[in-house]
Amino acid sequence: MKTKLHELLLDNKSAHVLYAFNSMDNYMQTVVRYILDGVAKDQSIILIENEKYLPYIMKELKIHLTDKEMVHIHIVNNFDFYFSTGSYHPPAILGHIEKMYKPLLAQKKSIRTWTHVEWSTIEGPLAIVEELEKVVDKLSADMGLTIMCAYEEDGMPESLKLSLLRTHKFLLTDDGVVYSDYYEVENKIEI
């Protein structure tokens, strides 16, 4: 069953969505639409993005948003977020997540996150990625968060693709959103 992303987000309190993209033009359009939709719904936006792409994204957003609306967007450098300890280290990443979300949740704000994960720089076993995505999936469900995980698909190892399909209930494609046939409902992780 295919649906449009905004319809999915209207019908679900939380969503953990995988966006495996191939076209940088589509990527840029999608991230901007995702943020604009969240701001229109008075959500706080956490944008975890590559510093190379931020100027383009911010330029596009400033065309559509007022300075007052731009305050809803919290920007985090994705390299600092994922590699603050020098390597892809899930406990450090979870610490960043807690630090970012806690103040916004205390304000009773609905939160929408866009995170650009650059898998090609991940060293070490891909099982670490799957474990972190399982925890993020549980956080999304338990805390009512909308989290978009964007990975560049080109050249992605098949093992990583399968891992991501198992840990994301929804998949965003250029045609809309579909359910992952591989999603494991038993993604029950105690945190």
Side-chain angles (χ1 to χ4, degrees):
M1 175 183 94
K2 286 192 181 185
T3 186
K4 294 293 181 195
L5 182 60
H6 70 277
E7 293 168 357
L8 170 77
L9 299 179
L10 282 174
D11 295 340
N12 290 277
K13 181 181 174 201
S14 66
H16 186 211
V17 184
L18 171 63
Y19 177 42
F21 65 93
N22 291 304
S23 160
M24 191 50 66
D25 288 339
N26 286 348
Y27 175 86
M28 292 296 181
Q29 293 171 13
T30 304
V31 66
V32 168
R33 277 193 317 266
Y34 182 80
I35 293 169
L36 291 174
D37 187 55
V39 170
K41 293 179 172 117
D42 197 33
Q43 295 177 311
S44 289
I45 310 297
I46 297 175
L47 174 60
I48 303 169
E49 184 56 79
N50 177 313
E51 67 183 20
K52 183 169 80 174
Y53 304 134
L54 275 172
Y56 171 82
I57 293 167
M58 297 310 290
K59 179 182 172 190
E60 288 298 308
L61 292 172
K62 287 177 181 179
I63 291 170
H64 303 283
L65 300 174
T66 66
D67 289 342
K68 189 175 180 179
E69 291 170 320
M70 291 292 288
V71 173
H72 292 284
I73 303 168
H74 308 274
I75 300 168
V76 179
N77 178 300
N78 70 343
F79 186 82
D80 294 339
F81 182 80
Y82 288 107
F83 300 100
S84 65
T85 63
S87 65
Y88 189 87
H89 187 62
I93 295 167
L94 292 172
H96 289 312
I97 290 170
E98 183 179 354
K99 194 186 290 186
M100 285 185 317
Y101 286 101
K102 215 174 212 177
L104 297 171
L105 290 169
Q107 297 172 19
K108 306 286 189 225
K109 294 289 285 185
S110 175
I111 302 169
R112 178 180 287 215
T113 302
W114 180 281
T115 178
H116 183 177
V117 185
E118 296 183 276
W119 64 266
S120 61
T121 58
I122 296 171
E123 295 179 10
L126 294 177
I128 294 172
V129 175
E130 185 167 353
E131 281 305 308
L132 179 64
E133 288 288 5
K134 284 180 181 178
V135 172
V136 170
D137 190 61
K138 182 162 176 42
L139 284 173
S140 172
D142 291 351
M143 300 171 78
L145 304 172
T146 300
I147 301 173
M148 178 74 70
C149 299
Y151 287 79
E152 187 170 4
E153 189 171 22
D154 188 40
M156 184 187 294
E158 285 301 317
S159 58
L160 179 57
K161 284 181 190 177
L162 184 58
S163 175
L164 295 173
L165 292 171
R166 284 194 303 257
T167 55
H168 293 82
K169 186 175 185 177
F170 305 104
L171 309 173
L172 177 62
T173 69
D174 291 338
D175 298 327
V177 179
V178 296
Y179 289 94
S180 171
D181 292 335
Y182 297 93
Y183 181 73
E184 295 179 354
V185 178
E186 65 271 4
N187 282 341
K188 297 176 187 140
I189 297 282
E190 295 302 319
I191 54 175

